[in-house]
């Protein structure tokens, strides 16, 4: 199998490393065309690393420390798609000579695959099914729909959500004990969450009641020229029964209902 890791044998090698670890939960996986290193969590909450290189498996020193980060089962990731992921990553900017695929916690307990290079160019993220986390900007209708969908995915209650060039795509979700969780998606980074303690007068609403394609179409109609930056805020301010959409396009503010009807004159 020497030199063939990204040609289909990576999954087989990782399965063997996982078996030798006693099927321990993994903290990190590093994969290049020449070698793979699997770092696992020991029963004593320490770490141990197993490495395959040149058809030889050995236990090696690890610089990974366990500080409560998420663990995962490495064989559940589509490592048979490593070559395709390396190719996609190169097209998206991770095109250095030494590509490396990693599986590790990103933020907030979420585990992603990434492809980066040495020397570093850019880092491209992949989900657990091998699909790429594509770069989202704020200029296209497709980006707006995808961004708002991603930050509200799996939520049936949000306090507010929106987009701006400075903040990216975001949604505020009710947390526990009076906290608010801000979910954010910017550029080519996956959605991440940050919790804060803050009082709010906003009433929650179900984001599934929003048609984000209507929001995108309305923004295009309000732009004075294609690509003009328009910030968007969606919430139930002033005790309204349904969400209110606020567009700020170069200082011109417009309010609509969820169906895109202009109600600016009705908003105090």
């Amino acid at each position: 199998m020497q030199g063939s890791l990204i040609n289909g044998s990576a999954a087989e090698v990782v399965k063997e490393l996982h078996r030798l670890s006693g099927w321990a939960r993994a903290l990190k996986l590093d994969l290049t065309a020449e070698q793979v290193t699997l770092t696992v969590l020991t029963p004593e909450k320490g770490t141990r690393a197993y490495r395959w290189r040149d058809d030889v498996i050995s236990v090696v020193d690890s610089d990974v420390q366990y500080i409560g980060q998420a663990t995962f089962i490495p064989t559940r990731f589509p490592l048979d798609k490593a070559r395709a992921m390396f190719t996609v990553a190169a097209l998206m900017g991770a095109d250095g000579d030494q590509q490396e695929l990693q599986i590790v916690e990103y933020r907030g307990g979420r585990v992603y695959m990434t492809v980066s290079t040495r020397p570093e160019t850019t880092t491209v993220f992949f989900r657990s099914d091998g699909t790429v986390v594509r770069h989202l900007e704020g200029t296209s209708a497709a980006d707006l729909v995808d961004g708002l969908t991603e930050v509200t995915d799996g939520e049936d209650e949000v306090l507010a959500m929106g987009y701006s060039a400075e903040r990216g795509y975001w949604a505020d979700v009710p947390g526990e004990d009076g906290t608010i969780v801000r979910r954010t998606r910017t550029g080519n980074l996956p959605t991440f969450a940050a919790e804060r303690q803050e009082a709010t007068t906003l009433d929650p609403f179900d984001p599934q009641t929003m048609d984000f394609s209507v929001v995108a179409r309305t923004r295009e109609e309000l732009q004075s020229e294609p690509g003009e930056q328009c910030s968007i805020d969606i919430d139930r301010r002033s005790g309204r029964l349904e969400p209110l959409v606020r567009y700020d396009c170069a200082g011109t503010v417009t309010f609509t209902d969820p169906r895109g009807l202009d109600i600016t004159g009705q908003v105090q």
Side-chain angles (χ1 to χ4, degrees):
M1 292 188 293
Q2 185 173 350
S4 62
L5 278 174
I6 64 171
N7 292 325
S9 65
E12 180 182 348
V13 169
V14 169
K15 182 177 181 180
E16 179 61 13
L17 294 179
H18 197 210
R19 184 188 70 79
L20 291 173
S21 78
W23 311 110
R25 300 284 299 188
L27 290 167
K28 187 180 182 186
L29 179 77
D30 300 272
L31 169 69
T32 68
E34 292 79 27
Q35 71 178 33
V36 57
T37 303
L38 176 66
T39 303
V40 301
L41 183 66
T42 68
E44 299 77 22
K45 304 302 181 183
T47 63
R48 182 176 294 118
Y50 298 82
R51 176 169 295 163
W52 180 96
R53 185 179 180 90
D54 296 335
D55 283 337
V56 176
I57 294 176
S58 55
V59 178
V60 297
D61 293 335
S62 172
D63 58 359
V64 177
Q65 293 184 329
Y66 179 61
I67 52 175
Q69 63 267 49
T71 60
F72 57 92
I73 299 175
T75 52
R76 290 184 177 176
F77 289 79
L79 296 173
D80 55 333
K81 298 179 181 179
R83 173 171 287 280
M85 286 188 283
F86 279 176
T87 300
V88 170
L91 293 173
M92 297 181 66
D95 56 354
D97 293 332
Q98 300 180 37
Q99 287 183 308
E100 180 177 26
L101 184 150
Q102 290 187 343
I103 306 176
V104 69
E105 178 188 314
Y106 168 55
R107 289 185 183 178
R110 293 180 176 233
V111 176
Y112 284 89
M113 295 183 288
T114 65
V115 173
S116 57
T117 62
R118 297 182 181 177
E120 187 172 352
T121 49
T122 190
T123 299
V124 178
F125 288 80
F126 293 84
R127 300 179 183 86
S128 59
D129 62 357
T131 57
V132 68
V133 176
R134 72 181 188 89
H135 186 87
L136 292 184
E137 296 181 353
T139 55
S140 75
D143 281 359
L144 183 61
V145 171
D146 287 351
L148 293 176
T149 299
E150 288 190 32
V151 295
T152 58
D153 182 43
E155 302 293 343
D156 56 16
E157 278 194 344
V158 299
L159 295 166
M161 59 184 174
Y163 165 80
S164 71
E166 297 76 24
R167 292 182 292 178
Y169 301 91
W170 60 273
D172 282 345
V173 180
E176 297 180 354
D177 301 323
T179 60
I180 297 175
V181 179
R182 167 67 59 91
R183 302 187 64 188
T184 303
R185 171 80 156 87
T186 60
N188 67 335
L189 300 178
T191 300
F192 64 91
E195 189 176 76
R196 68 185 190 272
Q197 190 78 40
E198 181 180 314
T200 181
T201 59
L202 295 175
D203 293 319
F205 63 94
D206 187 346
Q208 297 182 38
T209 62
M210 294 295 304
D211 185 340
F212 298 140
S213 63
V214 171
V215 176
R217 183 173 65 249
T218 302
R219 183 187 65 169
E220 288 183 340
E221 294 171 352
L222 294 173
Q223 290 171 324
S224 59
E225 60 182 27
E228 179 184 57
Q229 286 292 347
C230 294
S231 64
I232 298 171
D233 295 271
I234 306 172
D235 56 44
R236 285 181 58 198
R237 66 184 63 195
S238 304
R240 298 184 65 87
L241 295 178
E242 61 181 2
L244 183 73
V245 188
R246 179 184 187 272
Y247 302 85
D248 185 342
C249 298
T252 300
V253 176
T254 304
F255 291 91
T256 76
D257 67 10
R259 293 162 292 283
L261 177 65
D262 189 333
I263 56 173
T264 306
Q266 304 174 28
V267 179
Q268 301 299 320

